[in-house]
Amino acid sequence: MSSPRSSARPEQAAPAAAVRLGRLGRLPWLALLVVALVLLSAPFALDPIRDAATLQPVGEAVLRRPVTYLAMAPVSGVLDTLTLLSVRQHIALVVTLLLGWALWWWWRGTALPATVRPSRRAARIAARVGIPLLALVALYTAVAILPRPMAAIDLAPNLLAIDFHSHTSFSHDGRPDWTPEDNRAWHRDAGFAAAYITDHRTFEGARDGWANNPPVSGEGVTLLPAIEVVWRGEHVNLLDADRMFRGLLDPAQRDVDEQALKLSSSIVGNEPVLIETIPGDLSRMVAAAGPGTAGVRAVEIVDGAPRGLQQGRRERTRIVKLADSLNLALVAGSDHHGWGHTAAGWTLMHMPGWRAVPAEQLSLAISTVIRRGGFASTRVVERYVANTDDALTLPLTLPLVTWGMMRTLSTDERVVWLFWTLAIVLLLRLRAHRRAEPAPRAE
């Protein structure tokens, strides 16, 4: 004698299974995934900043997130992370998102019926292709130009944070409306004490920034003069150009004059400080052989441009070994041209009393410390982002970078992420409920 369960007909069980699948399909799976990532990543939390050379925590520095940054934590975190991706990571991310969109449509089984007119069919296909593309354009536009609060570095009193590579609208590749004062405000919001304006072929931005410096360095961000030029085929930043060092460039202010540099470098203790920038060919870098010689005295290990971030992460070990063996200072450059609101790294320098000195004395002190201290004169701090630039992990950029971002969230950020996730789900459910309500019957 068969049981009632075993006597159920297959055609009766099929609708019940379909109902259960329908209920599962109505669950807010994306929201549940976000909640799971926020909670599961907490036990594996990482400091959002680290030493760029050793990858170890930095005890004398913390990342400060202002209240406005925390209030929009999901937006802040996603846009910051996108800003810190390398070229290869950007490509992998875009390809993954587009493939995911295509698979989603395929999984939903939303093939267009044959009865749809050709004109409407073309419009619907165009919409399916155009919507994700427009969404990606909007996302990257937000990364580049959306005004938003910035995470900043907080340091011990005797440390100062320096950016050795930034630009203004006076550069041919700078944002057209990016003034020296915009440059100063950006660096202030990121926690910098000083920043070098290294425009291409011009000193106008550096001069304007210098003219509006605070009386002493501790009263605001000090903008210092420099220029990005070419020396022996490599891009370098020449510090203190136009003020302490003149006549070192060709008439077009593009290349370093070899003989002028050699002559100026022969004065011990007053040698021009050249910084090797990335991306570049490190095998062509010519380091100074010691006091009284011409050559590079510092090299970037962090460069905020996507191509610079890619080389810095890929060749991190090589850069550190070269700097150590050649006694070069490691530095960070934002390479900021007016796009984005995220600092990729900071150069830390120990300098007691720096807050009470004017701009000219601060500029002289920074160059002197690099000349004398070399590799030991600086420490570079960088924002953490999962490195997926190798062939094995590149296809997994989206999940690995997302997991890395979640691991760097503070407790306050996690609470805000959960709040916004719940709020959005409730709003969507309320909207769906109102749409489902029957319209009032006319009497």
Side-chain angles (χ1 to χ4, degrees):
M1 184 175 180
S2 62
S3 65
R5 180 182 299 273
S6 62
S7 62
R9 295 179 179 178
E11 57 269 21
Q12 294 175 332
V19 169
R20 287 195 296 270
L21 288 174
R23 290 175 179 174
L24 287 175
R26 289 193 295 271
L27 289 176
W29 288 108
L30 181 60
L32 292 173
L33 176 62
V34 171
V35 171
L37 288 173
V38 170
L39 298 178
L40 293 176
S41 62
F44 306 96
L46 289 173
D47 197 316
I49 57 175
R50 64 183 182 181
D51 188 301
T54 66
L55 306 185
Q56 297 302 309
V58 183
E60 63 268 38
V62 295
L63 191 69
R64 172 174 51 82
R65 305 165 178 89
V67 174
T68 49
Y69 183 98
L70 289 173
M72 49 187 291
V75 175
S76 300
V78 170
L79 296 188
D80 277 11
T81 301
L82 284 174
T83 306
L84 298 172
L85 296 183
S86 69
V87 174
R88 287 163 58 88
Q89 287 178 313
H90 280 297
I91 295 173
L93 177 67
V94 169
V95 170
T96 301
L97 290 175
L98 293 178
L99 286 176
W101 177 264
L103 288 173
W104 182 72
W105 276 105
W106 173 81
W107 178 76
R108 286 189 60 187
T110 52
L112 298 176
T115 56
V116 175
R117 288 185 302 179
S119 59
R120 290 188 176 183
R121 178 184 296 271
R124 292 186 184 183
I125 293 175
R128 291 183 182 181
V129 175
I131 287 173
L133 292 178
L134 287 175
L136 283 173
V137 170
L139 178 62
Y140 276 93
T141 301
V143 170
I145 66 175
L146 182 67
R148 56 191 175 88
M150 293 179 65
I153 197 170
D154 271 348
L155 302 172
N158 289 332
L159 290 174
L160 73 157
I162 310 165
D163 180 6
F164 284 91
H165 189 173
S166 71
H167 297 270
T168 70
S169 58
F170 290 95
S171 272
H172 67 274
D173 54 355
R175 180 172 163 177
D177 60 345
W178 193 248
T179 68
E181 291 311 301
D182 292 328
N183 181 294
R184 192 191 309 274
W186 186 91
H187 283 94
R188 178 200 63 219
D189 292 345
F192 287 97
Y196 285 88
I197 294 183
T198 58
D199 286 331
H200 302 272
R201 304 189 185 187
T202 178
F203 295 110
E204 295 305 311
R207 289 169 182 169
D208 284 1
W210 181 273
N212 294 295
N213 275 332
V216 293
S217 301
E219 295 182 0
V221 176
T222 302
L223 297 181
L224 303 174
I227 190 169
E228 184 173 352
V229 289
V230 176
W231 183 57
R232 298 192 177 184
E234 288 295 294
H235 277 251
V236 296
N237 289 332
L238 172 61
L239 305 189
D240 300 314
D242 191 45
R243 295 193 60 82
M244 182 176 295
F245 301 108
R246 296 182 179 180
L248 295 185
L249 307 177
D250 68 347
Q253 297 186 148
R254 177 187 180 274
D255 298 291
V256 175
D257 184 280
E258 188 77 29
Q259 294 304 315
L261 177 65
K262 183 177 180 181
L263 179 62
S264 182
S265 299
S266 64
I267 305 174
V268 176
N270 196 47
E271 304 92 342
V273 175
L274 298 179
I275 297 177
E276 176 83 5
T277 66
I278 54 176
D281 186 352
L282 297 177
S283 64
R284 299 175 61 181
M285 180 180 68
V286 179
T293 63
V296 168
R297 284 183 157 78
V299 58
E300 286 185 340
I301 188 173
V302 173
D303 181 282
R307 290 176 60 231
L309 290 170
Q310 182 168 298
Q311 182 174 0
R313 293 166 185 166
R314 186 180 67 245
E315 300 189 42
R316 186 191 309 270
T317 302
R318 181 187 180 190
I319 293 172
V320 173
K321 287 183 177 179
L322 277 173
D324 189 12
S325 62
L326 299 173
N327 196 29
L328 305 178
L330 290 172
V331 301
S334 66
D335 201 2
H336 192 65
H337 289 72
W339 311 103
H341 290 76
T342 307
W346 301 259
T347 310
L348 308 189
M349 189 173 286
H350 184 263
M351 192 179 295
W354 67 268
R355 298 176 186 274
V357 302
E360 188 169 357
Q361 189 173 340
L362 181 66
S363 180
L364 176 63
I366 291 172
S367 294
T368 300
V369 169
I370 290 177
R371 291 189 196 99
R372 294 178 179 176
F375 185 72
S377 63
T378 60
R379 185 175 191 181
V380 177
V381 175
E382 68 174 1
R383 288 286 298 271
Y384 171 82
V385 170
N387 185 9
T388 60
D389 273 312
D390 60 90
L392 182 63
T393 58
L394 189 63
L396 303 175
T397 291
L398 178 59
L400 292 180
V401 168
T402 301
W403 176 249
M405 177 184 69
M406 291 298 181
R407 293 182 67 188
T408 63
L409 297 179
S410 66
T411 302
D412 291 341
E413 287 178 297
R414 295 181 191 279
V415 171
V416 176
W417 270 81
L418 294 175
F419 169 80
W420 278 111
T421 303
L422 177 61
I424 292 173
V425 169
L426 291 178
L427 287 173
L428 292 176
R429 287 300 174 93
L430 179 61
R431 180 186 178 189
H433 178 72
R434 287 181 176 178
R435 285 186 171 183
E437 288 181 351
R441 299 177 60 183
E443 295 183 0

